[in-house]
Amino acid sequence: MDIATLAFYLFAAAAVASAIGVISIRNPVHAALLLVLTFFSIACTWILAGAEFLGIALVLVYVGAVMVLFLFVVMMLDIDVAPLREGFVRHLPIGLLVAVVMLLEILALIGIRAMSATPLAADAAAAADVSNTTWLARALFTDFMLPFEVAAVILTIAVVAAVMLTLRRRTGVKHQDPSLQARVRAGDRLRMVKMDAVRPAPPAAVDEEIKP
């Protein structure tokens, strides 16, 4: 077993272990940190296999954007976040652990990529004499068009389901009804009142004398 295959198994083991921690841990902050480690470990495996575009896109899109969306969902749920804000030191160990593991993965990936350009297998993009992004686009929209469309439908259903789960009625909270707002009439919101004009009384004289 060469060093590239060993690194692949280590990255995969880190991804599986952190993914298990995401679904088993009860603290949402720790789960979010472990999810970042999961995405980063998978990105390392893709870069190791020669799919640099997929690895960088996973880090930029999922770690940078999707994680922010997950945090917004956590804030929208009925979770008592007061204990989570009590102290920074409580979340420091898991944060340092995730940071150290990510640093070790980066160093290992840099070392392996420096020793070999295609460590695991022959690069299909280089064999086709095109860039990695071009080869991925051709394969995605020709050979894997049906799985791509199925994944898009599943993600759309997941977004709709997440919105439906968060839009539940809560007591003591005002809600808007768009249908009632569309059927509103001016007479329901505006009332003309006739009042007699009354001249206000003149203000009292001001004594400008300066008293000692």
Side-chain angles (χ1 to χ4, degrees):
M1 181 182 298
D2 57 352
I3 188 172
T5 306
L6 180 61
F8 175 81
Y9 286 131
L10 291 178
F11 293 156
V16 172
S18 56
I20 294 174
V22 170
I23 62 176
S24 60
I25 201 167
R26 299 186 62 180
N27 193 317
V29 177
H30 296 172
L33 292 174
L34 291 177
L35 187 58
V36 171
L37 181 59
T38 303
F39 289 151
F40 193 82
S41 300
I42 296 175
C44 289
T45 59
W46 283 349
I47 295 175
L48 189 63
E52 295 86 2
F53 175 77
L54 288 177
I56 299 301
L58 182 61
V59 173
L60 294 179
V61 176
Y62 282 87
V63 177
V66 176
M67 281 306 306
V68 176
L69 178 61
F70 285 167
L71 292 178
F72 276 119
V73 172
V74 170
M75 289 187 293
M76 292 172 62
L77 297 176
D78 291 335
I79 298 177
D80 187 11
V81 296
L84 303 178
R85 301 176 181 175
E86 291 178 355
F88 174 75
V89 183
R90 295 178 54 228
H91 309 299
L92 187 59
I94 185 67
L96 289 177
L97 178 62
V98 171
V100 169
V101 174
M102 291 174 62
L103 179 60
L104 294 177
E105 289 180 352
I106 291 175
L107 295 177
L109 186 61
I110 292 175
I112 294 172
R113 293 292 293 178
M115 290 185 297
S116 176
T118 55
L120 293 181
D123 193 355
D129 197 15
V130 293
S131 63
N132 187 271
T133 309
T134 303
W135 180 85
L136 177 64
R138 290 177 180 175
L140 189 63
F141 292 102
T142 54
D143 300 333
F144 302 98
M145 185 65 184
L146 180 59
F148 179 74
E149 295 294 336
V150 172
V153 173
I154 293 176
L155 290 176
T156 304
I157 295 175
V159 171
V160 175
V163 173
M164 294 301 297
L165 288 175
T166 55
L167 289 180
R168 55 184 179 274
R169 295 292 180 179
R170 296 182 177 90
T171 58
V173 179
K174 294 183 179 180
H175 298 276
Q176 295 181 354
D177 192 346
S179 61
L180 295 179
Q181 293 177 350
R183 294 195 304 265
V184 70
R185 296 178 300 176
D188 299 334
R189 299 296 180 90
L190 181 63
R191 184 177 63 178
M192 303 297 295
V193 180
K194 184 178 180 180
M195 300 178 61
D196 297 333
V198 178
R199 178 177 295 179
V206 179
D207 189 3
E208 297 181 355
E209 183 180 356
I210 302 176
K211 296 182 181 181

